[in-house]
């Protein structure tokens, strides 16, 4: 079992010890390359909030970005950034999670793979970010959020971006399952240069087991 580090400290250590097996929680510390797409503003580093940003707008801005983008990479990077902002504010974190989960309900877009991706990734990002939530929230194979991630992949079974997101969700909890998603993402990434770039980045910089 790999230790769960406090995100800011873990990410700073990652700058110096990039060869470790687990250099910071991946759903919090590791930015996703989204090309020229728009996401939440950030500061100088991957876990540095923008000091000028009005955090009262965070939930509304996050949902707007999710609504306007159909790119899974934009979704998970936006939720990673949102987690950075809320990880010291459990009340706001809970409100963000409730807003994201509301989109999976029958009155929402329940057949949309992206809403399940969002729910699964955010639940896991909050757990990795040491935000106290229900440990069984969306659990499958004892991994927080993975049931929802699995549902998303069932709806989009041949999309490298969903497989890459699942690799991030599983890396801390189930190495065998993680490797299966990496293998699938690599195979599908032959037709997706942005996923291939993200995979290569994570392999080179952080996860010696990310292959």
């Amino acid at each position: 079992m790999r230790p769960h580090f406090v995100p800011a400290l873990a990410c700073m250590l990652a700058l110096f010890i990039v060869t470790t097996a687990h250099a910071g929680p991946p759903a919090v510390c590791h930015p996703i390359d989204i090309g020229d797409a728009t996401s939440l503003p950030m500061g100088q580093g991957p876990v540095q909030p923008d000091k000028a940003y009005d955090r009262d707008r965070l939930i509304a801005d996050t949902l707007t970005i999710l609504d306007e983008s159909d790119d899974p990479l934009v979704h998970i990077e936006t939720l990673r950034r949102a987690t950075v902002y809320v990880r010291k504010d459990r009340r706001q974190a809970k409100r963000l999670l409730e807003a994201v989960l509301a989109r999976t309900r029958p009155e929402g877009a329940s057949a949309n793979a992206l809403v399940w991706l969002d729910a699964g990734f955010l639940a896991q990002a909050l757990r990795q970010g040491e935000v106290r939530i229900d440990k069984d929230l969306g659990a499958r194979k004892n991994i927080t959020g993975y049931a929802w991630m699995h549902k998303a992949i069932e709806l989009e079974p041949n999309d490298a971006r969903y497989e890459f997101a699942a690799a991030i969700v599983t890396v801390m909890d189930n190495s065998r399952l993680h490797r299966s998603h990496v293998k699938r993402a690599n195979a599908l990434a032959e037709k997706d240069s942005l996923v291939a770039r993200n995979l290569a980045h994570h392999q080179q910089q952080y996860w010696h087991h990310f292959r």
Side-chain angles (χ1 to χ4, degrees):
M1 178 69 69
R2 298 180 181 88
H4 297 166
F5 298 111
V6 174
L9 176 60
C11 292
M12 286 188 291
L13 288 174
L15 296 177
F16 300 98
I17 312 174
V18 297
T19 58
T20 58
H22 171 55
V28 181
C29 294
H30 302 249
I32 307 301
D33 185 348
I34 57 174
D36 296 327
T38 298
S39 187
L40 294 169
M42 291 295 287
Q44 294 299 312
V47 291
Q48 295 298 321
D50 183 343
K51 295 180 180 180
Y53 180 63
D54 181 359
R55 298 187 185 210
D56 289 339
R57 297 173 43 190
L58 177 70
I59 295 175
D61 287 352
T62 298
L63 296 180
T64 296
I65 294 168
L66 299 182
D67 284 340
E68 293 180 351
S69 174
D70 61 359
D71 184 346
L73 296 181
V74 172
H75 280 238
I76 63 176
E77 173 60 10
T78 298
L79 293 169
R80 185 196 71 81
R81 296 183 187 192
T83 300
V84 170
Y85 279 102
V86 304
R87 64 186 178 85
K88 294 183 179 179
D89 186 342
R90 188 169 181 269
R91 181 176 297 180
Q92 191 178 36
K94 183 178 179 181
R95 288 174 51 222
L96 174 63
L97 182 61
E98 288 173 346
V100 169
L101 290 179
R103 296 150 63 87
T104 68
R105 294 170 187 153
E107 62 269 26
S110 58
N112 185 333
L114 282 169
V115 301
W116 294 110
L117 175 77
D118 295 342
F121 190 87
L122 180 59
Q124 179 64 204
L126 291 173
R127 186 192 73 81
Q128 291 187 20
E130 302 290 346
V131 180
R132 290 181 298 167
I133 58 173
D134 185 343
K135 65 180 180 179
D136 296 323
L137 191 62
R140 180 186 172 99
K141 297 184 180 295
N142 297 318
I143 303 173
T144 299
Y146 185 66
W148 297 327
M149 186 71 67
H150 188 267
K151 189 174 183 69
I153 291 175
E154 285 183 328
L155 292 167
E156 293 288 347
N158 297 304
D159 193 313
R161 301 187 178 203
Y162 285 88
E163 294 288 347
F164 176 66
I168 295 173
V169 164
T170 55
V171 67
M172 291 175 65
D173 298 287
N174 188 317
S175 60
R176 180 178 296 178
L177 188 60
H178 165 72
R179 287 194 297 271
S180 72
H181 285 298
V182 171
K183 182 178 180 180
R184 180 74 172 156
N186 270 312
L188 292 169
E190 292 180 2
K191 299 179 180 179
D192 192 326
S193 60
L194 190 53
V195 171
R197 196 156 72 228
N198 273 290
L199 283 164
H201 173 75
H202 284 288
Q203 281 182 218
Q204 180 180 6
Q205 297 295 326
Y206 307 107
W207 301 338
H208 71 270
H209 56 295
F210 197 177
R211 52 179 177 267

